[in-house]
Each structure stands twice: as C-alpha cells, then as structure tokens.
Amino acid sequence: MVPVLQDLGMRLLGLLLLLSVGPWAEAGKVLVVPMDGSHWLSMREAVRELHARGHQAVVLTPEVNMHIKGEDFFTLKTYTVPHTQEEFDQNFANYIQIVFERQHFLKIFFKSMAVMKDSAVILYRGCRELMYNKTLIGHLNATSFDVVLTDPVYPCGAVLAKYLSIPTVFFLRYIPCDLDFEGTQCPNPSSYIPRLLTRHSDHMTFLQRVRNMLYPLALKYICHVTLSPYASLASEFFQRQVSLVDILSHGSVWLFRVDFVMDYPRPIMPNMVFIGGINCASRKLL
Ligand SMILES: *[C@@H]1O[C@H](CO)[C@@H](O)[C@H](O)[C@H]1NC(C)=O
Ligand SMILES: *[C@@H]1O[C@H](CO)[C@@H](O)[C@H](O)[C@H]1NC(C)=O
C-alpha cells in the first residue's frame, strides 16, 4: 500500500514539476531597443521583470551612451557609432547648461532648439550605422526574436522592427505631434485634450481651445528636426515613401508610462495600456 502511495506521490510531483516548467518552455526572445537617459531607467524595470518570468532579453544600444550598461538580467549588444564619448558628453553638458541659464525666453528657445538638433543628429547617425550594418542586421534577423520592446521617441527600434517584421510593443511616456493618436487612429478632440506643453486642463475656455489647436504647429518643427529623418531612413529601406505614422502603426501594443491620477483623461484604443506605476519602481522612502 505504502509503496503504491509513494509511487503515486512521485508521479504527482513529476506532473507538478512539469506544469511548473511549462511557462519556461514558452519563454520568449525579446529585442529591446531603448531610448537612453531617464527613459531607460523605467524600461530597465520592465526588462528585469521579463527576465524574472523566464524570457530572454537582448538590449541593443549604441556603444556610446549614457545609462545603458550591462546587467545580469539581459544580454547587452552594442553597435558602433560615428562619434566619440567626448562628443556625446559635450552635447549633454550643453543641454544641462541651458537649463540653468537666465536669459530672454526667445534666446533660450533658439539655443535649446540648436542643442536638440545636435542630439537628434547624434542619435540618428547611430541608427543609420545600425541599419546599414549588414552583419549585425543579419545576425538579429537570424535570432528570430518574438517581439521588439522599444521607446518610439527613438524611432530606430520601430524602423528596425518593421524591417525585420517583428511584432512591436511600444513603451513610452509621451511622443510629440500626436503620433500615438495618429499611429493608432485614436480619436483626438482638441476641445478637451490638453496639448503637450500647454498647461491647459481638460476644461478649457474658448481662447484656450484656440491656443490648444495652435500649439501643435510649433511642435511640428520639433518633430521635423528630431523624428522625420527616420521616415526618410525607413523609405530608403522599404524602397517606397514611408511616413512616421506608417512606422508607428506597426505597433501591436502601446504601454504608456502615464496614469489618469496625474494626467487628464483621453480616449484610448484597445491596444493601449496605462502602466504609470512603473515610474515609481525604484522609489526612495520619504
Ligand atoms: C557591424 O556590427 C558589428 C557588431 O556590432 C561590428 O563588429 C562591425 O564592426 C560592424 N560593421 C561595420 C561596417 O560597422
Ligand atoms: C530575414 O531572414 C529571412 C529568412 O531567412 C529572409 O527571408 C529575410 O529577407 C531576412 N530579412 C532581412 C531584413 O534581412
């Protein structure tokens, strides 16, 4: 009797073990293309959790960067870029300097635009280098990733994912020029969605609504400088005219690092998920 029970016990244990390793058998391969700086600090927490759940993550980044360093919960893959760490650091130092300058608003505006343009060029040159590296692209293609996790503010990941035909999950706080709305065909009424940088609430007076409609025109310039080069790059690779909206509409899921506790309500689409709490993942005690 007892050996029979023991045998049954062993079988049950075996079954239990089999069930518990089940999810591991389905472990996915995730290609992570982060945006450097504070953006990466939140995404790193998501990658840590993916690893904890048995998935493999490869983080792809320019060899010259600020915060994206190797960790034990992902594989770091770097690509060469046509600038040095000194040039990169100098650009960042210029940016910090402007933040502390006390000058006329317009002077600061034009200076920020110049620095923003420099940073955009640095990021974009890195992306070109990556996309035109046949060896690296071939290697990434051969790895057969299940999904790309990327911040669309650095659209290189989105272009790469579309080029390799890998489903994409976007992980972002904001993207200017309402590209998230356009890329998902989400309703976007100017009458009650306060535009980026306006400081309006969702209850606006008539004049505020007018301003709310005009603000995006100024932002268009920023998008033209920082994001539109990626549309040209994608057009080179797909050998047809491709817009940023085309690239972003490839996204399967949009994870927004915002929360309606702090942000005004807005229409959302079924593939949008709000995960604002992740910003507090590495909080310090008060
Ligand atoms: C392509 O990428 C690989 C791996 O990052 C690197 O070793 C190689 O030098 C790159 N090739 C070119 C032409 O940049
Ligand atoms: C990726 O690999 C597949 C299968 O070998 C091939 O058909 C496809 O053209 C490759 N894509 C790129 C972008 O190299």
Side-chain angles (χ1 to χ4, degrees), residues 46-105:
V47 175
R48 197 192 298 274
E49 190 58 32
L50 283 170
H51 172 79
R53 296 187 185 197
H55 304 291
Q56 291 171 18
V58 172
V59 175
L60 184 65
T61 185
E63 62 181 359
V64 170
N65 69 63
M66 194 189 310
H67 286 320
I68 309 169
K69 309 297 173 204
E71 304 261 5
D72 55 6
F73 52 90
F74 60 78
T75 308
L76 186 69
K77 184 136 192 72
T78 57
Y79 51 91
T80 44
V81 286
H83 48 260
T84 61
Q85 186 78 44
E86 285 70 39
E87 289 173 85
F88 181 85
D89 292 344
Q90 185 57 48
N91 175 263
F92 186 64
N94 291 346
Y95 197 78
I96 296 287
Q97 200 189 341
I98 291 177
V99 174
F100 292 106
E101 265 179 23
R102 293 188 173 277
Q103 280 181 343
H104 189 262
F105 158 78

Side-chain angles (χ1 to χ4, degrees), residues 99-117:
V99 174
F100 292 106
E101 265 179 23
R102 293 188 173 277
Q103 280 181 343
H104 189 262
F105 158 78
L106 272 180
K107 244 185 186 164
I108 297 223
F109 176 80
F110 286 116
K111 270 193 179 173
S112 327
M113 283 298 142
V115 173
M116 191 185 284
K117 203 167 180 169

